[in-house]
């Protein structure tokens, strides 16, 4: 079992990482939910696999818990679904001192986290991530949100969990494509902050794809540490936290234009966005072609898409990006790569190059991929 | 012009109090909304009186502002209305660096404040209170919320404004009953924390009722100072902030059972709740009868109700209180008075006495009012 502490003053918390970490849930509930009751929010895919186990673990901690399973998928990150969770919390007479458990992937974590942030102006909540994306990224850092038709994650809160219980055994249960999509964020963390992790992933790509527990425990812990250090330095995304948006500018636009559908998973959109950002980094003269190629190659080894056959029109991309949360005065900001393990934030990139970069074509200047 | 600073570290802000304070809005917008755009949320009563003036003041600060007027009254504190504000913010392409102005009473401040807290995970907002209740209480302290059918203010955030512009000239425009209801919170602040303010109110009751600007500027400033000191000591309501709930335990229950209708204003419910709490304080042996009588007498001089002819049944009160945010393990906590200017929080009071206290009858033991 490994543990990573996120240092945020009175909002500090620990991430417990390992096989069987779920067993610690009872203890955590005893500590963080003195009111002795909790709502476990999950989705309909995860509920049959882990629901009962989680309720039993909470019961052992003296916590009387109920399960609420929302439909799986991004569409559950809606005000309508949030409103249903509030109804459920009210029906259970959840008081201050009671809590919420988010059992699932990024969608469940974001939705349940925001419900916890807003109900009674803030209930304690525990993240129990079950997807790779959630284990290495979304469960850590306190970003919670639902979507608006005008854009993803437009409505939410920065609200830190009381604890994160990261049981890598959950990875075994993920569908292949879903697991691969999560690897995009793993590659991202390595690309923005940790060249040694990047090399480790290159050397162990096959074992990572096979989800070998020992390797993944290490990968998850290193990822949580990267994420934790970034969040500590910039809890509310005023600066360095923006490095985490590497690949997310064009990635979000592409995801939005695909209608957040199962035709393109978030991680797949991020993979495409990172590959495009790497190409733009080369054409902007920020980064050498070999590093961009290493990034693209690793994504491909993880079975991730790195280009779109038919990228959206530039005008559609612009309009989608105008609604991005990070956009200021209408101009989206990009995170570009300096080299493996280092990025620069807040850069403007002429829209003329976006489409070609998404198509995977040679960038207009400065060498090709 | 008076100014009260609320010291909350990086979330500190100033309250500007005086006739014509509204003129400072342009300057404030320039400072806090560098993005140059804002949504002004108000209600349909305030919009025709102050809407244009506020838009002009913002325009002078280089801020391009749009007005959104919700129906007046507590029913606008709903998830449905909140959702409409999000639509409006999205349609205006409000980005980080743009902001929200809450122009109105407690309902508008709570609703617009929560919209600002949640949109893009937090936009800066400026409170421009126009009701007495908002001027002396709800605009300061960062409590934002909407209601749920299970209870008032169940969904919200602690989210501090960037500034409060408290123009006491707005008091002239309030309907008489509305103004009087606001005086309940003025009396509350004096009763829990400031015996000198209490005496000042007793001596100047007639001038206060006539809304004399000089007197009211002083009253508002003293109230803001009391509120600010409590919020500084306990931003997230873990302790001393609960003193502000004096009169709000039974008050909220009575208000909820009346269906948050115009038959009973919030301030009227609080006045009834304070009078009941004062009687319960005497019967519990916490407070001498003369102090309870002074409190009831001042409320009456301000034209406020101090009892219900037909109080709800004890079972109905219990059930309403079980849904109160401050309730722990099903037992509501009361704030009782020690003397004028001092209260004790976290007390349990046997339900058998609640109804009689609301009826204004002699309490079961320890002297009468």
């Amino acid at each position: 079992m490994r543990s990573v502490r996120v240092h945020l003053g009175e909002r500090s918390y620990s991430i417990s990482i390992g096989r069987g970490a779920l067993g610690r849930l009872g203890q955590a509930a005893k500590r963080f939910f003195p009111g002795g009751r909790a709502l476990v929010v999950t989705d309909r895919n995860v509920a049959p696999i882990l629901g009962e186990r989680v309720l039993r673990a909470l019961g052992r901690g003296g916590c009387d818990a109920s399960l609420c399973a929302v439909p799986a998928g991004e569409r559950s990150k809606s005000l309508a679904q949030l409103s249903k969770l509030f109804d459920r919390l009210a029906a259970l007479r959840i008081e201050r001192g009671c809590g919420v458990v988010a059992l699932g992937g990024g969608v469940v974590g974001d939705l349940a986290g925001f419900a916890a942030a807003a109900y009674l102006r803030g209930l304690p909540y525990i993240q129990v991530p079950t997807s790779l994306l959630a284990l290495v990224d979304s469960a850590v850092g306190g970003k919670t949100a639902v979507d608006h038709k005008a854009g993803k994650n437009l409505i939410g809160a920065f609200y830190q969990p009381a604890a994160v219980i990261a049981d890598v055994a959950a990875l075994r249960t993920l569908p292949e494509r879903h697991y691969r999509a999560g690897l995009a964020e793993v590659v991202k963390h390595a690309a923005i902050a940790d060249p040694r992790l990047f090399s480790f992933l290159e050397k162990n790509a096959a074992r990572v794809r096979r989800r070998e527990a020992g390797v993944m425990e290490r990968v998850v812990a290193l990822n949580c540490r990267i994420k934790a250090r970034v969040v500590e330095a910039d809890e509310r995304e005023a600066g360095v936290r923006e490095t985490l948006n590497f690949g997310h500018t064009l990635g979000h636009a592409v995801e939005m234009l695909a209608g957040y559908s199962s035709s393109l998973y978030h991680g797949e959109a991020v993979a495409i966005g990172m590959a495009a950002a790497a190409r733009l980094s080369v054409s902007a003269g920020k980064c050498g072609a070999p590093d961009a190629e290493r990034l693209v190659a690793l994504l491909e080894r993880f079975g991730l898409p790195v280009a779109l056959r038919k990228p959206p029109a530039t005008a559609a991309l612009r309009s989608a990006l105008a609604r991005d949360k990070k956009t200021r005065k209408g101009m989206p900001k990009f995170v570009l790569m300096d080299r493996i393990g280092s990025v620069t934030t807040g850069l403007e990139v002429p829209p003329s190059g976006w489409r070609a970069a998404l198509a995977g074509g040679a960038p207009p200047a400065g060498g090709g991929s």
Side-chain angles (χ1 to χ4, degrees), chain A residues 215-276:
Chain A
V215 172
M216 288 315 294
E217 192 171 312
R218 180 167 172 189
V219 167
V220 169
L222 286 170
N223 272 269
C224 287
R225 198 158 291 140
I226 292 169
K227 181 80 188 269
R229 294 303 96 89
V230 172
V231 170
E232 285 165 5
D234 178 19
E235 188 179 1
R236 295 180 67 90
E237 201 168 32
V240 64
R241 189 158 179 168
E242 293 190 1
T243 60
L244 296 173
N245 290 314
F246 179 55
H248 282 61
T249 308
L250 288 175
H252 267 168
V254 162
E255 197 183 3
M256 188 190 296
L257 293 169
Y260 302 116
S261 71
S262 60
S263 69
L264 190 70
Y265 282 10
H266 174 69
E268 294 169 344
V270 169
I272 291 165
M274 280 193 288

Side-chain angles (χ1 to χ4, degrees), chain A residues 288-312:
Chain A
D291 275 11
E293 279 160 25
R294 271 179 78 191
L295 178 72
V296 171
L298 183 58
L299 292 169
E300 285 182 319
R301 286 186 69 190
F302 284 155
L304 286 161
V306 294
L308 286 172
R309 215 162 303 169
K310 292 184 185 169

Side-chain angles (χ1 to χ4, degrees), chain A residues 355-366:
Chain A
R355 218 171 157 255
L358 283 171

Side-chain angles (χ1 to χ4, degrees), chain A residues 14 42 47 60-61 85 92-93 113 117 161 266 292 299 304 318 322-323 347 349 354:
Chain A
S14 292
T42 188
R60 281 195 298 275
L85 291 187
L92 290 169
R93 307 212 164 191
H266 174 69
L299 292 169
L304 286 161
R318 284 187 84 138
R323 290 165 180 270
L347 300 171
V349 174
W354 299 351

Side-chain angles (χ1 to χ4, degrees), chain A residues 36-60:
Chain A
R37 270 176 300 141
L39 178 66
V40 179
V41 181
T42 188
D43 72 29
R44 291 181 191 160
N45 291 343
V46 175
I49 304 174
L50 290 170
E52 278 305 312
R53 246 182 89 199
V54 161
L55 291 180
R56 274 200 310 275
L58 289 165
R60 281 195 298 275

Side-chain angles (χ1 to χ4, degrees), chain A residues 134-207:
Chain A
L135 278 160
V136 298
D137 184 16
S138 61
V140 177
K143 276 197 185 180
T144 72
V146 296
D147 299 333
H148 185 276
K149 61 180 182 294
K152 213 176 146 168
N153 296 327
L154 287 193
I155 300 159
F158 290 98
Y159 189 66
Q160 302 296 337
V164 181
I165 309 275
D167 195 333
V168 294
L171 292 177
R172 297 246 127 256
T173 68
L174 295 176
E176 175 62 18
R177 184 178 161 205
H178 202 282
Y179 177 75
R180 270 190 270 136
L183 289 172
E185 301 285 352
V186 172
V187 173
K188 183 193 77 177
H189 284 143
I192 65 172
D194 193 343
R196 286 170 62 188
L197 172 59
F198 199 93
S199 301
F200 180 85
L201 294 170
E202 289 179 317
K203 276 186 211 116
N204 295 278
R207 300 172 73 190

